[in-house]
């Protein structure tokens, strides 16, 4: 190839690159504009339809966000941590060669996945006191969410542990590691990395499911919104704020989730 | 349910072609690995049909044979990654009888673990721990299994990484290494446990051709430096260079064994001849 031809070719490649870059930028602008218009349209439409006074938004919005969303996040963070531990033990139980342990774990997953979360919340808050176990609303809510998500995450962790290549355990065994050390140092850390995106996903789902614990009087986002709505005779406006709070939380945590996943996809550690 | 001890076949006659013992090279020492009467079934599949293998200190033994001949299974039986159906293995004075009926029992598992500490194992696909740096890979078992002080373990790890030529990669994660580098790290990791014998299970068969040489070179250096090793391999050229003894297996038994020149240039058994003819011409 002559250097002349090479020059022409590199110029063409440069122009292709530039046009692809421009197309990507254009796509991003279109995406943001359409998304923004839909959001403004939706919120504006709801405000018009519900005859919402904007002053109410400014007045009550911060209260719901600061108090309600604070409780929502607190309850969900504690619950997802407890649920993760439950799920690790649940998965170990499901994978155990001991039939009795196996049955306990299987029973737990079956019972929890077989009944509605709302029923579980009512049981823990209203039925346990009959047996002499009286819990405050927040602990009851955390226990219910933890038990519920722990059961679903048990299956996630079971799959995650099974997805760690067999050779990893064999290499650790060949180095003389006893079974517990092998699980704690070799299998579990790799399983956690495998299931992290799924747990982040569950956390985002839990943010919204936690609205159910408003029914037992936990002063989280939905509970506060309903109370403020009732007392100020602006129920639709308050509900709209509640919806926007959950939506906003989801957007924020989805952003972190995406960052986390991109970091894990790099996979250099 | 109680089951009596499995029948003792008594000492076995030496396998054919084991005349190697009469003229041992001077660097070879006492017997350090002794597998006796190893039988292994996978379901109905009789993979090992009574194998005896003795390996002496500083001896490099290469297991060759067609795939399916049982050589990898034999290797995995030696450190009980596969529990033999019948037989016993002794490494450096610690003898363990196969006991598949109580394979899960705690005491048996603990004995197996003690056995494995004496034998380093290298795998086809390396099995480095991907969530740990090269150095952590090498230090993990010495500190947590042998309870070495951390500083000692790091010092030794650096030494063995130097031996395999990867001292400068100590802080990398395995994903950043080539296949050949990974296998060399795996060798360093095994050496850090100061095993009595290294077991290699086709250590180069997952490697790109241009990366095989660097691993074989490290292994050859170890062999000539007096590391006791048992190697399952298809690399005949390497076997000729590095082996003190070559063992040919077929259909779950040892057919013939001897020094490399005898085995590769003047095999006595028909099975060995057939295998080598096909293999060396291929």
């Amino acid at each position: 190839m002559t250097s002349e031809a090479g020059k022409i070719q590199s110029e063409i490649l440069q122009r292709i690159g530039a046009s692809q870059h421009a197309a990507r930028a254009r796509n991003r602008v279109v995406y943001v504009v359409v998304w923004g218009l839909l959001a403004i349209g939706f919120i504006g439409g709801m405000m018009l339809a519900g005859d919402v006074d904007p002053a109410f938004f400014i007045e009550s919005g911060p209260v719901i966000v600061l108090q309600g969303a604070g409780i929502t996040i607190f309850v969900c963070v504690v619950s997802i941590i407890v649920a993760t531990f439950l799920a690790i033990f649940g998965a170990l139980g499901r994978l155990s060669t001991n039939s009795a342990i196996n049955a306990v774990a299987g029973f737990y997953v079956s019972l929890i996945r077989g009944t509605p979360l709302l029923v579980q919340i009512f049981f823990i808050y209203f039925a346990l006191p009959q047996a002499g176990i009286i819990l405050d609303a927040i602990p009851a809510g955390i226990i219910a969410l933890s038990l519920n998500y722990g059961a679903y995450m048990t299956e996630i962790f079971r799959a995650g542990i099974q997805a760690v290549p067999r050779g990893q355990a064999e290499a650790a065994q060949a180095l003389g590691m006893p079974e517990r050390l092998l699980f704690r140092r070799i299998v579990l850390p790799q399983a956690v990395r495998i299931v992290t995106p799924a747990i982040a996903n569950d956390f985002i789902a839990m943010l919204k499911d936690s609205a159910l614990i408003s029914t037992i009087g936990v002063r989280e986002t939905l509970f506060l919104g309903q109370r403020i709505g009732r007392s100020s005779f602006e129920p639709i406006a308050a509900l709209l704020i509640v919806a926007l709070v959950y939506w906003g939380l989801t957007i924020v945590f989805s952003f972190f989730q995406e960052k986390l996943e991109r970091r894990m996809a790099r996979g250099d550690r | 349910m109680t089951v009596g001890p499995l029948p003792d076949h008594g000492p076995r006659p030496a396998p054919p072609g084991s005349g190697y013992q009469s003229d041992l090279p001077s660097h070879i020492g006492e017997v350090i690995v002794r597998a006796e009467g190893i039988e292994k079934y996978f379901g109905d599949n009789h993979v090992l049909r009574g194998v005896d293998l003795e390996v002496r200190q500083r001896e490099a033994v290469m297991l060759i044979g067609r795939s399916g001949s049982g050589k990898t299974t034999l290797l995995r039986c030696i450190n009980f990654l596969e529990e033999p159906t019948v037989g016993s293995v002794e490494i450096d004075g610690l003898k363990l009888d196969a006991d598949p009926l109580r394979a899960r029992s705690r005491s048996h598992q603990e004995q197996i673990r003690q056995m494995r500490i004496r034998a380093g194992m290298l795998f086809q696909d390396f099995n480095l721990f991907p969530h740990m740096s090269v150095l952590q890979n090498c230090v993990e078992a010495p500190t947590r299994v042998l309870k070495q002080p951390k500083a000692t373990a790091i010092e030794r790890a650096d030494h063995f990484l130097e031996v395999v030529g990867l001292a400068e990669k100590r802080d990398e994660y395995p994903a950043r290494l080539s296949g050949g580098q990974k296998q060399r790290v795996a060798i360093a990791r095994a050496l850090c446990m100061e095993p009595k014998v290294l077991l290699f299970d086709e250590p180069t068969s997952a490697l790109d051709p241009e990366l095989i040489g660097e691993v074989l070179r490290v292994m050859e250096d170890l062999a000539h430096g007096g590391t006791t090793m048992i190697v399952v391999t298809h690399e005949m050229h390497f076997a000729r260079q590095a082996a003190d003894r070559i063992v040919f297996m077929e259909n779950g038994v040892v057919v013939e064994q001897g020094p490399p020149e005898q085995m590769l240039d003047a095999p006595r058994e028909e099975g060995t001849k057939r295998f080598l003819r096909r293999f060396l011409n291929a």
Side-chain angles (χ1 to χ4, degrees):
Chain A
M1 186 171 31
T2 65
S3 69
E4 185 64 16
K7 213 174 107 191
I8 293 172
Q9 211 174 60
S10 83
E11 203 183 302
I12 291 175
L13 286 176
Q14 229 168 36
R15 274 161 60 185
I16 292 174
S19 90
Q20 280 173 341
H21 186 80
R24 267 199 299 275
R26 211 163 38 240
N27 288 344
R28 213 171 307 135
V29 170
V30 170
Y31 185 91
V32 170
V33 167
V34 172
W35 206 101
L37 284 175
L38 285 171
I40 291 166
F42 169 76
I43 296 167
M46 292 297 279
M47 287 177 76
L48 284 177
D51 193 19
V52 172
D53 177 7
F56 174 79
F57 252 64
I58 293 155
E59 191 183 311
S60 303
V63 181
I64 296 178
V65 170
L66 290 177
Q67 295 185 13
I71 298 279
T72 295
I73 292 173
F74 170 75
V75 165
C76 288
V77 167
V78 174
S79 297
I80 203 79
I81 290 168
V82 177
T84 300
F85 281 99
L86 279 175
I88 290 171
F89 285 106
L92 279 177
R94 295 278 279 165
L95 294 169
S96 171
T97 49
N98 180 326
S99 305
I101 295 173
N102 212 280
V104 171
F107 174 80
Y108 163 59
V109 172
S110 172
L111 176 70
I112 299 291
R113 295 213 302 182
T115 52
L117 173 55
L118 188 56
V119 173
Q120 293 160 17
I121 292 168
F122 285 167
F123 250 93
I124 287 165
Y125 192 62
F126 297 122
L128 281 189
Q130 306 281 328
I133 304 168
I134 299 165
L135 296 165
D136 281 339
I138 288 184
I142 287 174
I143 289 171
L145 285 171
S146 303
L147 281 174
N148 187 273
Y149 273 73
Y152 286 96
M153 284 161 56
T154 289
E155 295 301 296
I156 294 174
F157 264 96
R158 185 176 58 83
I161 289 169
Q162 284 175 325
V164 176
R166 176 95 197 86
Q168 290 290 312
E170 281 191 351
Q173 283 170 343
L175 288 166
M177 290 195 193
E179 212 154 324
R180 278 183 184 209
L181 184 67
L182 180 159
F183 180 74
R184 189 165 53 83
R185 296 286 303 172
I186 307 302
V187 175
L188 185 60
Q190 294 185 57
V192 166
R193 289 165 54 80
I194 293 169
V195 304
T196 297
I199 294 175
N201 212 37
D202 267 7
F203 178 76
I204 287 167
M206 187 196 274
L207 284 173
K208 277 92 53 174
D209 276 356
S210 69
L212 288 172
I213 63 174
S214 65
T215 54
I216 56 172
V218 177
R219 300 159 57 85
E220 50 70 76
T221 310
L222 178 59
F223 183 91
L224 268 186
Q226 284 182 313
R227 215 184 52 176
I228 290 173
R230 265 195 302 275
S231 61
S232 61
F233 304 104
E234 288 272 21
I236 307 288
L239 213 52
L240 188 56
I241 294 175
V242 167
L244 292 179
V245 169
Y246 283 115
W247 193 5
L249 287 179
T250 302
I251 290 170
V252 169
F253 283 103
S254 298
F255 172 76
F256 287 129
Q257 180 195 22
E258 214 169 292
K259 266 183 94 155
L260 183 75
E261 271 179 38
R262 215 170 308 149
R263 221 187 81 182
M264 308 234 322
R266 276 216 309 271
D268 49 57
R269 60 149 303 167
Chain B
M1 185 178 70
T2 56
V3 174
L6 291 158
D8 184 1
H9 300 295
R12 288 168 174 258
S18 59
Y20 70 98
Q21 274 167 336
S22 52
D23 47 350
L24 285 173
S26 57
H27 69 277
I28 305 266
E30 294 303 303
V31 172
I32 194 147
V33 179
R34 178 181 283 123
E36 275 184 306
I38 304 289
E39 309 244 357
K40 178 67 185 177
Y41 286 84
F42 289 113
D44 289 340
N45 191 3
H46 199 174
V47 180
L48 293 178
R49 301 161 179 261
V51 176
D52 299 309
L53 183 70
E54 280 186 359
V55 177
R56 292 169 172 264
Q57 271 174 333
R58 295 184 291 283
E59 194 180 15
V61 174
M62 312 273 159
L63 299 180
I64 64 171
R66 252 180 278 281
S67 58
S69 59
K71 51 198 189 322
T72 287
T73 306
L74 174 62
L75 196 74
R76 290 167 60 85
C77 280
I78 289 174
N79 71 350
F80 279 68
L81 276 183
E82 302 291 354
E83 177 103 19
T85 313
V86 185
S88 71
V89 177
E90 184 179 336
I91 303 179
D92 191 32
L94 179 72
K95 187 176 174 188
L96 187 53
D97 292 313
D99 198 348
L101 290 174
R102 49 187 290 280
R104 295 287 310 166
S105 81
R106 197 154 291 184
S107 64
H108 191 65
Q109 285 295 321
E110 179 55 26
Q111 281 179 305
I112 289 176
R113 203 173 70 79
Q114 292 302 332
M115 198 81 155
R116 286 175 179 155
I117 290 174
R118 289 153 202 252
M121 177 102 179
L122 283 306
F123 299 86
Q124 235 181 83
D125 36 15
F126 334 125
N127 294 334
L128 292 182
F129 305 132
H131 57 302
M132 295 181 181
S133 72
V134 164
L135 186 67
Q136 285 171 305
N137 262 280
C138 294
V139 166
E140 180 70 12
T143 52
R144 289 176 193 269
V145 176
L146 301 180
K147 314 284 185 207
Q148 279 179 8
K150 188 133 200 194
T152 314
I154 290 175
E155 200 178 306
R156 301 189 53 79
D158 279 330
H159 167 69
F160 285 117
L161 286 172
E162 187 84 54
V163 168
V164 301
L166 289 172
E168 80 284 6
K169 298 285 184 189
R170 74 199 285 268
D171 297 317
E172 292 281 12
Y173 281 82
R176 300 287 202 95
L177 304 179
S178 72
Q181 291 171 333
K182 283 182 193 167
Q183 193 62 292
R184 284 149 67 198
V185 170
I187 292 171
R189 177 174 75 175
L191 289 171
C192 284
M193 293 294 284
E194 296 177 61
K196 300 297 177 187
V197 56
L198 283 183
L199 311 173
F200 291 84
D201 182 12
E202 303 194 24
T204 57
S205 31
L207 293 176
D208 289 338
E210 76 269 21
L211 301 177
I212 290 176
E214 60 187 74
V215 173
L216 293 183
R217 220 158 17 249
V218 167
M219 291 172 62
E220 205 178 318
D221 288 349
L222 288 176
H224 291 147
T227 304
T228 311
M229 54 172 79
I230 307 175
V231 185
V232 172
T233 188
H234 294 295
E235 302 285 341
M236 293 302 154
H237 183 71
F238 163 71
R240 184 189 292 273
Q241 297 288 319
D244 293 301
R245 173 161 46 118
I246 292 179
V247 175
F248 173 69
M249 288 183 68
E250 193 171 43
N251 297 324
V253 294
V254 172
V255 171
E256 184 176 0
Q257 54 183 317
E261 311 78 53
Q262 177 202 316
M263 287 294 290
L264 298 176
D265 301 332
R268 294 171 196 165
E269 299 294 321
E270 202 44 51
T272 320
K273 288 178 189 166
R274 235 181 301 127
F275 170 76
L276 287 173
R277 230 179 358 252
R278 284 189 44 188
F279 208 94
L280 296 177
N281 291 341

